[in-house]
Amino acid sequence: MITGRTREIVQLAMPWLAMALFLAIWEVVCVVFDLPEILLPRPSRVFEVFIQRIDILLAYCWDTLWTTVLGFLLAIAGGVMLGVLIGASPLVYAGLYPLLIAFNAVPKVAIVPILMIWIGVGPTPAVVTAFVISFFPIVVNVATGLATIEPEMIDVLYSLGASRFEILRKVGIPRAMPYLFASLKVAITLAFIGSVIAETVGGNRGIGFLMLSAGARNDAPTTFAGLFAIAIMGVAMYAVCALLEKRMTRWAFRGQLVS
Amino acid sequence: MTFVELKSVSLTYRLGKETTLALADGTMAIGKGEFVAVVGPSGCGKSTIMKLVTGLLPATSGEVVVAGQRVTRPIKGVGMAFQNPTLMPWRTTIDNVLLPMEIVEPHKRRFRRHRAEYVARAMALLKTVGLADFADKFPWQLSGGMQQRSNLCRALIHEPELLMLDEPFGALDAFTREELWGVMQALWLEKRFTGVLVTHDLREAVYLADTVYVMSRRPGRIVMSRHIDLPRPRTLASTFEPAFVDIVHELRDRIHQEHAA
């Protein structure tokens, strides 16, 4: 029988075990099939390069990180505002929703060249792409949170004499919070995709640019080191968002608290 | 003195091209401080009456008058409680109960500066329903019965003249439900608000109400009004006395006629 404490430790260790297993299999496959490094470098080789080129990796990570986070923060600000408008007003909803869907259907890679024509090469296209790509899930989630308030709750507030604005402030916004924080986890990973795409298509800095130029030199280990760096940043930011979610909307996790 | 009056009120719902007559020729007069119950077969438009009286729905024809004023839009300051307790999960019980104070004038203006006074008032009310120890708990930490008690407190904290109850005990187990009848009666005896209870539980209706209205099948029409002159406070034991049981049977027979028709 596994006791509660052991179970907890095993649960905490599981992600690390899974990752170690994944890397081990990768390593073994590379060795057994004698794969050329340019095709698939061994993870140990990637780590070696990772350490060797840590300076440039860190510098470019920083570029990618701040453009991503800036775009993400802008997406939160804009997404919450638009989400509240759409969720609170059926008219705005009817008007803007199809437009949003159309907007979201456009592949974001396609807009990077346009952005470069408008604002040139540099960190701005990365920020804008991160914003554009992470905006949509935030809008949709906030709007959903607002639109799914129980009708009885609205009746109670109306018959107390509350205005629409009061209903929005007292019920709508707090109720939309768990939806918002749930969307942040999705949005931050998308934001990384956005900024890396922009760096790859037309950047002169950042991990995307590093990977592209390493790829051009057939330097597969560096490309993979870049991939690892993005993955690490993505997981870290996801964890930050998940932690924020737990902190800010404790009540939405009631199941875990009561039991 | 009549506080709520419905004068041959009807309501038609329109959904696309289809129209449904939910209530036909509703006429009733509820005195100030009277507690009435509306019973009837399911889907007869009982809840429609709630929405009409509070002005959440405008009447298609006829007239609704509350406190001498014709109701044309949602009237303010009414207490409401539904089967679903609709407490806010991000607020503690006491903050949930205090909600009307943040909305209803004149409390709204005074609320911030006199918070302590209002908290004391809410605590007193929570105590009367036996929830004093749960004021700082969140609704999802309470049982269904406790949630419904908090819901009643929220509906009553601002001492509304009119309390509308839409099957508030419907989702509770039988023991909790009967216990809450007692709580409700005690609150009413103390505060003497005008109460309208919509229910399909005939014992509940007879236990709580001064007058029980029976509605017909859809389109709902009021087919019977029965004054309940049993002495108060009524007890659970009294619900098994012949006088009480006779009234319940009388109401049940009338409703069965509706089902047979």
Side-chain angles (χ1 to χ4, degrees), chain A residues 110-133:
Chain A
I111 66 161
V112 179
I114 304 173
L115 286 175
M116 285 167 57
I117 297 172
W118 289 346
I119 42 190
V121 181
T124 325
V127 174
V128 176
T129 317
F131 165 79
V132 165
I133 203 168

Side-chain angles (χ1 to χ4, degrees), chain A residues 150 152-162 166 169-172 174-175 250-251 254 257-258, chain B residues 51 56 75-78 80 82 84 86 88-91 99-100 102-104 108 138 140 154 158:
Chain A
E150 301 94 326
E152 289 103 339
M153 187 77 237
I154 296 180
D155 281 352
V156 166
L157 283 156
Y158 261 140
S159 48
L160 284 171
E166 276 176 314
R169 199 161 55 92
K170 302 250 181 244
V171 196
R175 198 172 183 293
R250 204 167 67 93
W251 56 269
R254 49 201 147 179
L257 277 171
V258 175
Chain B
K51 298 219 167 192
L56 289 169
I75 48 176
K76 293 184 173 185
V78 181
M80 263 192 155
F82 295 93
N84 171 0
T86 62
M88 300 174 177
W90 54 89
R91 285 174 174 237
L99 174 79
E102 300 167 25
I103 291 167
V104 179
K108 186 178 165 182
F138 287 92
W140 34 271
R154 181 181 65 185
H158 57 293

Side-chain angles (χ1 to χ4, degrees), chain B residues 198-220:
Chain B
V198 167
T199 180
H200 53 239
D201 185 330
L202 298 179
R203 285 178 63 227
E204 178 174 306
V206 177
Y207 182 100
L208 284 169
D210 297 317
T211 310
V212 177
Y213 291 92
V214 179
M215 286 184 72
S216 69
R217 284 202 313 179
R218 186 170 282 239

Side-chain angles (χ1 to χ4, degrees), chain A residues 56-75:
Chain A
I56 187 148
L57 271 170
L58 278 181
Y60 280 2
C61 269
W62 171 243
D63 286 319
T64 303
L65 187 65
W66 78 256
T67 47
T68 303
V69 171
L70 184 59
F72 175 62
L73 291 177
L74 290 173

Side-chain angles (χ1 to χ4, degrees), chain B residues 99-217:
Chain B
L99 174 79
M101 296 309 194
E102 300 167 25
I103 291 167
V104 179
E105 294 288 6
H107 309 296
K108 186 178 165 182
R109 254 174 294 141
R110 302 180 68 242
F111 185 71
R112 263 166 212 258
R113 266 178 298 131
H114 300 81
R115 196 184 156 87
E117 172 192 320
Y118 284 113
V119 168
R121 194 160 143 186
M123 279 308 290
L125 191 57
L126 282 172
K127 205 171 166 187
T128 60
V129 301
L131 277 183
D133 295 337
F134 295 88
D136 294 323
K137 292 268 188 285
F138 287 92
W140 34 271
Q141 295 170 314
L142 306 182
S143 68
M146 289 167 152
Q147 290 185 18
Q148 206 50 270
R149 285 163 207 248
S150 328
N151 188 16
L152 291 178
C153 287
R154 181 181 65 185
L156 288 170
I157 182 77
H158 57 293
E159 312 216 319
E161 289 183 288
L162 184 59
L163 179 71
M164 307 295 291
L165 301 165
D166 191 350
E167 299 192 17
F169 313 121
L172 304 172
D173 64 272
F175 299 111
T176 312
R177 190 186 311 152
E178 290 175 354
E179 197 186 327
L180 284 192
W181 294 350
V183 170
M184 192 68 242
Q185 178 177 242
L187 287 168
W188 179 77
L189 285 174
E190 189 194 327
K191 303 190 191 291
R192 291 285 176 171
F193 45 81
T194 307
V196 179
L197 167 74
V198 167
T199 180
H200 53 239
D201 185 330
L202 298 179
R203 285 178 63 227
E204 178 174 306
V206 177
Y207 182 100
L208 284 169
D210 297 317
T211 310
V212 177
Y213 291 92
V214 179
M215 286 184 72
S216 69
R217 284 202 313 179

